[in-house]
Amino acid sequence: MLNQNEIIQTIQMIDQQHLDVRTITMGISLLSCAHSDPKTACGRVYDKITRYAEKLVSTGEAIEKEFGIPIVNKRISVTPMALVAAASDTGDYVPFAHALDRAAKACGVNFIGGFSALVQKGMTDADRKLIAAIPQALAETDIVCASVNVGSTKAGIDMDAVALMGRTIKDLARRTAAQDGFGCAKLVVFCNAVEDNPFMAGAFHGVGEPERVINVGVSGPGVVYHALQAVKGEPFDVVAETVKKTAFRITRMGQLVAQEASRRLDTPFGIVDLSLAPTPAVGDSVARILEEMGLEVCGAHGTTAALALLNDAVKKGGVMASSSVGGLSGAFIPVSEDEGMIAAARSGALTLDKLEAMTCVCSVGLDMIAVPGDTSAETLSAIIADEAAIGMVNTKTTAVRIIPAPGRQVGDSVEFGGLLGSAPVQAVHPFSSEAFIRRGGRIPAPMHSLKN
């Protein structure tokens, strides 16, 4: 039971420290929408989404008003569209993206995720058609997000898919060149993708999920930063305990919102994702948390160790606060969406290599990173392969969301606005990976994948 002091602390966290529920995401199974006629299938997709999610936004707004808890986004995730569209007699999957876009706009949500394919062990004809449709689909829609899972600890890494995704990202950047390659911000390439992730752009509704479900993502980098200011100079075990206690309070708020949304929408409660998701707003930064631990700037030696502590303490504190923790649940390090990361990258302290090292110990991966527009498809594929290898070997989810900004060079910046923020264009290695990527095939799963 909450006492008066805890209530006052929560009010302060919301009012002064950027505490919010980052998203209420309704996951919807579209398997029942499959049909041999693509027009019929698209009609079913639109009808089912609008029927199930009709009251999602109004319910979220009502909870926000009644409880005084900011709910930043209301979103929808759906069954990977390659599975749904596979039954249709068509070679063009772009209309399925348009159906998702229309349905999401009719419901009033911010984003819809699930224009996706799972190809970690190989590609079906449907998977190839969906990946081929991604550049046009994301260029022609506004709020549709796509993801492709190219590897897993159990299956290894599909290097044919990795090579294909490098070319897909380049094509998408070209098609959205007028917006600095903005379409690439809506595309994630995963290893070990999870089925219940409420965060965009990588959310999809996995085949192991129920007919529909409510997943909530909480966020509070500003709260953690504020808490650490009270333990300046204290040993790291004190730092870890402080983060754990803070994460517990943040997650309890998310659990409350999730259960209330579940009850009002008559939809099962799935999980609370307790990730620390930053924004471009000052005071809402994961990088500033790491600097509060004693680093002069994020990216300095010691950054990976500090991030490892933060990520682990968040998980330990949050898992005790909710009946069901899932999704990604850790600390996000998207460059363009974190004011401190942006500053560190602009100063040169935070490089692509350092970001890759940091992804070994946090969620999720190389996220919202802008690189020169003339970066080759093979280099993009090699970056994806490196990140997928980290996920495969370490049995964790990793991802790449990278924007080769057309016409931009190192030192330039690209502006995306809103939660997506701005990104300084970062350098990539000038040396070629072309022959490596041309090999194709599959990198085998590691020995520890044989656990059973």
Side-chain angles (χ1 to χ4, degrees), residues 28-297:
I28 302 173
S29 172
L30 297 182
L31 292 174
S32 62
C33 299
H35 194 277
S36 59
D37 176 45
K39 289 185 178 179
T40 300
C42 287
R44 289 180 172 182
V45 165
Y46 178 89
D47 291 342
K48 188 167 187 179
I49 292 172
T50 53
R51 183 170 74 253
Y52 277 1
E54 177 186 12
K55 297 181 180 179
L56 176 62
V57 171
S58 60
T59 299
E61 290 173 345
I63 293 172
E64 186 175 16
K65 183 177 180 181
E66 291 176 32
F67 288 82
I69 298 171
I71 301 174
V72 180
N73 290 289
K74 294 84 180 175
R75 298 164 171 168
I76 297 168
S77 63
V78 299
T79 308
M81 190 51 63
L83 300 177
V84 180
S88 297
D89 185 16
T90 179
D92 181 12
Y93 285 4
V94 174
F96 288 93
H98 284 289
L100 293 176
D101 201 49
R102 290 194 304 271
K105 288 175 178 175
C107 294
V109 298
N110 305 94
F111 286 107
I112 184 166
F115 197 72
S116 307
L118 310 177
V119 299
Q120 58 268 23
K121 206 170 183 179
M123 290 179 277
T124 65
D125 289 342
D127 293 328
R128 291 184 184 278
K129 291 175 185 176
L130 183 127
I131 293 172
I134 285 175
Q136 182 181 349
L138 297 193
E140 293 181 357
T141 59
D142 297 314
I143 55 178
V144 173
C145 294
S147 59
V148 177
N149 191 69
V150 298
S152 74
T153 300
K154 284 289 187 183
I157 303 172
D158 182 351
M159 289 300 292
D160 292 322
V162 168
L164 182 55
M165 290 313 300
R167 298 193 295 271
T168 300
I169 291 169
K170 285 288 287 185
D171 189 5
L172 179 54
R174 178 183 62 80
R175 290 173 185 260
T176 56
Q179 296 82 40
D180 286 326
F182 171 74
C184 299
K186 300 187 291 175
L187 172 61
V188 180
V189 184
F190 276 118
C191 177
N192 287 322
V194 297
E195 297 190 337
D196 55 3
N197 166 25
F199 286 101
M200 298 296 167
F204 63 86
H205 187 71
V207 294
E209 294 288 299
E211 177 71 6
R212 57 177 175 168
V213 70
I214 289 292
N215 297 320
V216 165
V218 297
S219 185
V223 180
V224 175
Y225 172 75
H226 181 82
L228 291 184
Q229 288 182 313
V231 293
K232 285 183 183 293
E234 296 287 342
F236 281 115
D237 48 351
V238 175
V239 172
E241 192 64 22
T242 300
V243 174
K244 282 166 56 180
K245 290 177 179 177
T246 306
F248 180 90
R249 291 200 298 270
I250 293 169
T251 308
R252 289 301 285 176
M253 183 196 71
Q255 173 87 357
L256 170 67
V257 171
Q259 289 179 330
E260 190 64 21
S262 172
R263 182 184 66 80
R264 296 188 186 194
L265 291 165
D266 191 26
T267 299
F269 161 51
I271 58 93
V272 173
D273 187 319
L274 48 93
S275 297
L276 293 181
T279 73
V282 174
D284 200 24
S285 163
V286 170
R288 299 305 185 193
I289 296 174
L290 305 180
E291 292 168 359
E292 183 61 29
M293 292 186 194
L295 302 169
E296 180 180 359
V297 63

Side-chain angles (χ1 to χ4, degrees), residues 323-334:
S323 59
S324 183
V325 168
L328 301 168
S329 291
F332 289 175
I333 53 169

